[in-house]
Amino acid sequence: MKFYVTKDVFEKIPDGKFGLVSVTGADNTGNNPEIQAFLQENVEKCTEFYTGKKVKNEPELQPYREAFRNMGINPNRYMCAIEALMTRIAKGQGMPAINTIVDLGNGVSLKHHLPIGAHDLDTMIDGAFGVRVSEEGDTFLPFGAEEREPVEAGEVVYATGSHVRTRRWTWRQGDEGMITENTSHMLYIIDGFECNLEEVLAAREELAELAEKYLGGTVKIGMIDKENMEFETEL
C-alpha cells in the first residue's frame, strides 16, 4: 500500500510534514484499560491547559489556521481537526473511548497538540491513498449518510481513487475507512510543519512504541515532505 502527497499540495504548504506510523497485523479487538486511561489522562491535562483560553488564539494552532488560509479554506468556518478537538475539550465535553487504535491516536494527539488521523488501509482503492487536490468526479460519504456527495475540484483532500476520505485537508473524515474491531492494516498520519517538526517526531515515536506494545503486528514509521512524497506502508 502506497501513501503519497502530491506536488500541488506542497505548493500550498511547502513546509508541510507528514509523520507516519503504519501497523500491519494489528489486533483491535476488545477494550484496553491502559490506553483508555492514557486517553483520559490527556483529556484532563488539555482541559486544564485550555481553561479560560480561546483555543483558536493559541500559538500551536496558528500554523494550521494559516495553512487553511493558504488552501483557500476559512479556518473560522472549517476548523482543523486538532482545533476542533481542543475546542471540544475546552468546553468540558471530554473524549469518549472508541477502540484501542482510535483511543491511542487521540491520546497522543492530545498529548502533543497535533492532528492525528487513523485510517483502515484494507478499504483503500487500487492500493494507494494520499493527499491531493480534488478533481471533477470525486465524491465523499459523510458520517451516517447513505448517499455520496460531490466534491468540487480544487480542494485539498485525503483520497483513494475518486473516493474522498477526509475533506478540506484535516477538517472532516468520512464514513469510509473508519477504524473498527476488524481493522488489522492501518496508518496513523500526523500533520505538521517545519516549525513543529520536533513535536511531530516525538508523537510519531510514541505512537510507534505504544502501537507495537498494544496493537501487535509489524510497525513501520515514515515521513513525507516536499523532498520525499511517497511511503510504502509495509516492510
Side-chain angles (χ1 to χ4, degrees):
M1 171 69 66
K2 179 179 74 173
F3 178 74
Y4 64 91
V5 180
T6 58
K7 182 179 178 180
D8 48 6
V9 171
F10 284 112
E11 290 172 355
K12 299 175 185 294
I13 49 168
D15 63 338
K17 304 287 183 180
F18 297 80
L20 307 170
V21 178
S22 68
V23 186
T24 305
D27 180 4
N28 197 38
T29 57
N31 297 317
N32 189 302
E34 291 180 71
I35 293 299
Q36 290 178 358
F38 172 72
L39 172 62
Q40 185 57 37
E41 175 188 357
N42 286 294
V43 167
E44 292 171 1
K45 287 181 178 178
C46 282
T47 301
E48 181 179 356
F49 181 84
Y50 284 107
T51 296
K53 298 178 180 178
K54 202 163 189 177
V55 172
K56 73 175 185 177
N57 293 336
E58 289 303 293
E60 65 269 23
L61 296 176
Q62 300 317 303
Y64 297 95
R65 293 179 64 82
E66 182 62 24
F68 267 43
R69 294 187 190 97
N70 292 339
M71 294 177 184
I73 304 168
N74 182 347
N76 293 316
R77 183 177 181 186
Y78 304 105
M79 285 191 288
C80 172
I82 190 60
E83 183 177 339
L85 181 56
M86 294 305 189
T87 299
R88 173 192 175 98
I89 298 296
K91 291 179 179 179
Q93 296 175 355
M95 175 59 56
I98 299 174
N99 57 54
T100 302
I101 289 176
V102 175
D103 295 347
L104 174 54
N106 284 340
V108 175
S109 173
L110 291 170
K111 181 175 179 178
H112 294 274
H113 297 209
L114 295 167
I116 299 177
H119 302 267
D120 188 325
L121 295 178
D122 285 333
T123 66
M124 301 303 171
I125 299 170
D126 298 329
F129 173 51
V131 187
R132 62 172 174 79
V133 174
S134 61
E135 305 168 349
E136 186 175 349
D138 285 343
T139 58
F140 176 73
L141 184 65
F143 275 120
E146 296 182 358
E147 296 185 6
R148 309 187 65 80
E149 63 181 32
V151 177
E152 291 185 7
E155 181 181 316
V156 175
V157 296
Y158 276 82
T160 176
S162 63
H163 289 199
V164 170
R165 293 298 175 87
T166 302
R167 294 200 59 185
R168 296 182 176 89
W169 188 29
T170 62
W171 170 60
R172 177 177 292 174
Q173 201 166 335
D175 202 67
E176 294 178 295
M178 284 194 306
I179 301 296
T180 71
E181 66 175 8
N182 298 317
T183 297
S184 62
H185 186 200
M186 55 79 54
L187 178 67
Y188 289 113
I189 304 167
I190 310 163
D191 302 85
F193 307 93
E194 185 66 39
C195 65
N196 61 0
L197 178 57
E198 185 174 334
E199 203 68 44
V200 170
L201 292 172
R204 186 187 68 173
E205 297 308 311
E206 185 166 20
L207 264 178
E209 180 182 343
L210 294 175
E212 190 168 31
K213 180 177 180 179
Y214 292 109
L215 299 176
T218 302
V219 176
K220 182 181 179 182
I221 63 173
M223 176 68 67
I224 281 185
D225 56 25
K226 64 182 179 181
E227 305 300 330
N228 180 34
M229 296 189 287
E230 292 187 1
F231 169 75
E232 291 290 340
T233 65
E234 298 179 64
L235 293 171

